[in-house]
Every structure is written in C-alpha cells, then in structure tokens.
Amino acid sequence: MEKSIIQLVDELSTDNITVKVLKAVDYVAPSQWNNLVGFDNSIRAITGETDAKVIQKIRERAVILYHDPQQGYQSAIKLYQTIDKADTAMAAAALANKVGEKIGVLSFLTNITPKADLTQTIDLVLKLAVEIIVFCKLNGIPQPNPQEFAKSLTNNYQDASLMRMVALVCLDGILPLGPDFLNKIHQLISGTDASQIAQNPVFSAINSSLPGNNPTEKLGFITQGFNSVQGWISNLVSKTGITPQSIFSSLGNFIQIADDNLDFVAAFIDQTTNYYEHTGIQTVASSLIKQSHILVKQEIQQEEKSSVREISSTVKVDNKQYAVGTKVEVWDEEEEDWYSATIEKVKDNEYFIHYDGYGSSSDEWVEPDDLRIRDKAASDDNGYAVGVKVKVWDEDNEDWYSATINKIQGQQYFVHYVDYDSSYDEWVDLDDIC
C-alpha cells in the first residue's frame, strides 16, 4: 500500500546525509530553505494555525485532496520518487552499508565509478523535465509549459522548490561537469539523438510522463525545458560565484574526503542522497496544505453561517481567502462562465490573476465580486454547495447578479443576493444559476 502524504512528511529525516548535503549547498541561497518535517508541524508553520481542531480538519482535507487524481499531488510525488530512485539505481549495494550513521574518511571513493558526461547530462535535463511537469500539475496548467515554469522560477520559486533547483545546479551540474557545465550540456544534448536518450534508465523510468508520442518528440521537450532555464542558471552562478571548489569545500565541513577528485565526489553524493524526493515531498506538502487550509476555512465559515437562521443582509468578501497563490474561479461577463485561475498579485481590493492554461497575455486585474473559491468535494451533483458564490440570471433586467447559496433542495437553490437585503432572497432553478 502506498504511503499517505502525512506518512511521507512525518518520515522525512531531520539529519541524514541528504539533509547534510542540502545544508552544505544552502550557502548559495541562504535562509531560503527550512527542513520542515512532520505534517502537523508543517501545517502550523505554513498556515499559522494553532487550533487543534482546525489542524485536524486540514489533515483530513489534505488526505482527500492527495488521493484525488484530478489534483495531481500524488502523481507529482511519484515523479520525484521515481527519478531519484532511477538516478541512484546504479549505486553499489555495498556502498550504503559502508556509509552507516557516521561519515568517516571515504577512501573507498576510489571504488565508485563516476558517470560519463553524457549520462550525467541526461540525468540533469530529465530532472529539469520532471520539475516542469510537476510545476504545471501543482499550478493547474493542463500541459507542461517550460516558458511558464521559467517565469515562475525567476519570480516565485522559494523554500524547498528553490533549494531543489540550487542543489540540481550544484550537485548535478557544476560538481560533476565542471564550471563550463552549461556549454557542455548544450553541446552534448545537441549532438545526442533520440535513440541514445531512450536507452537511458532514468528516461525509461519517467518515459510515460514526458510529453510527446515518440522519443524524438520527448527529446524535443527535454531540450526545450533545458533551454528555458539556461538564463536563470547562468544568472545564479554569476550572482553567487559558485565553483566546484566552493561546493567541495562546503561539503568538506561534514565529509572527510581522501582526495579532491570532484567527479568521484559527485558520484558518491549522487548515489547516497535523495534530495529530489526529499525536497519534492516538502514542496507538494506545502502546496497541498495551503489549498486544504483555504477550503477548511471556507468550510468553517459555511458551518458558522448555517447555524444562524438568516445570513446577514450584507455579504462581505473575506479578502484573506484571496491571497497570492490561491486557486480561484473568475467570472467572464462576455462568455458568461467561470474560468480557473491563480491569484498572482493583490492590491487594495483588486486581484491580478493568471488563467490556468492560458498565456500571460490574458492576465488581468479583477474585483472580488467576480472571484470565488469552490470546494468541489463538498458540492452536489450539479457542482454547487451551501455558501458558494454564483451568478443568477434575472430575466426582467437581462443581467447576471452575484448571490450566495443558502439552501439546496434537489434542483432548486435558495439564494441571497450580494449587497441586497433578505427581502430579495428567493428560490431559483438550476438553469438560472452559473
């Protein structure tokens, strides 16, 4: 049986070799990564909640969302786990036994064969491809989009997500391939045909998740993904001055290495750590907790309203629920429909949103009256629930009016119109709401 997200987060290590390696390269992005472990502890740190009942509700909602295939959380974890396990599959079984709990003088590094440059390059670009795929899953983008990922990497990546990318650059790029690793990768990928990629065991492990109908198309996506982030990687290296020697020196704070053969050091780290899975679990858990928190707060508000015989005549928007990064639905007056989107900026009482699956040219500012958060898990067969904001069609005025559902009876809904007193409350048919 597969582990739940709660088990995965609870079982994250606080101080194994993976954590030590991540802390060693933390100097590249100081104060960005906190090794957050324990699911309840993560809830408290991410949401600020201290009420045990609220934390329990978030746990329960997180479990439901995690196992919902439409959400993409579970498949994201599987991708992180798969690529890490495939990447370390070539490690000698005896190596792990020699490491033990303490890291001594690793004279046995001479027995580890470092990867060839092409194999190392393929591993790196495939990890980038996985990152792009997972990013799109977690942000509601229907198809993997390297350009949208590159934009977010530059503007929004932080915490475990940023740490994972920093580790990728240091441990899978600079350390094994040298300071000129970007040019080396570009040359190797340009000179590699699809058949060589298809023979790579890491590629085989994630093949079904890569966009494209054949190895050639998949190689095209992989190459496009690498090209989209070259600029960010180059800026990171230039800004921080990372070198193979500086990485080696930082690792030396906890690993006593017999020599400075950097590709052998990289091989050892590659075969004894699972930093992609470790930070990947933290990233997915953070996204899951944030969404669960929003839904639970909405649920609590609905429960409080249902305990009162009549909802207040004035419905005010809780601006806190529309925070940056919140998944919402946006009303389109022209199309007369709701569209999935993500809030990217908040200013006063307006929200700058990005429509899921659309380019940035469609981004726009909207008012709270045209936003809503809908808990599909609590909805009826028509997609509605008590407390959900809807638009109601008025035949006389030939216009849509914002309202909140107070009661549901079969195919009819008792609604309260926003900014109108309760004398206007009424039952409407399913065909009259959207």
Side-chain angles (χ1 to χ4, degrees), residues 209-229:
S209 298
L210 293 169
N213 298 315
N214 53 60
T216 300
E217 292 181 359
K218 294 174 188 289
L219 175 58
F221 169 76
I222 294 166
T223 303
Q224 186 184 9
F226 171 71
N227 291 339
S228 71
V229 300

Side-chain angles (χ1 to χ4, degrees), residues 18-65:
T18 295
V19 175
K20 290 180 183 295
V21 168
L22 288 170
K23 287 181 177 178
V25 297
D26 182 61
Y27 75 95
V28 179
S31 303
Q32 276 293 332
W33 178 65
N34 174 28
N35 186 34
L36 200 54
V37 301
F39 201 79
D40 285 3
N41 182 45
S42 298
I43 292 174
R44 286 188 285 268
I46 292 168
T47 68
E49 294 287 354
T50 56
D51 188 314
K53 292 183 179 179
V54 175
I55 291 173
Q56 180 61 28
K57 283 179 176 289
I58 294 173
R59 279 172 60 96
E60 293 170 355
R61 181 55 60 89
V63 170
I64 294 172
L65 289 176

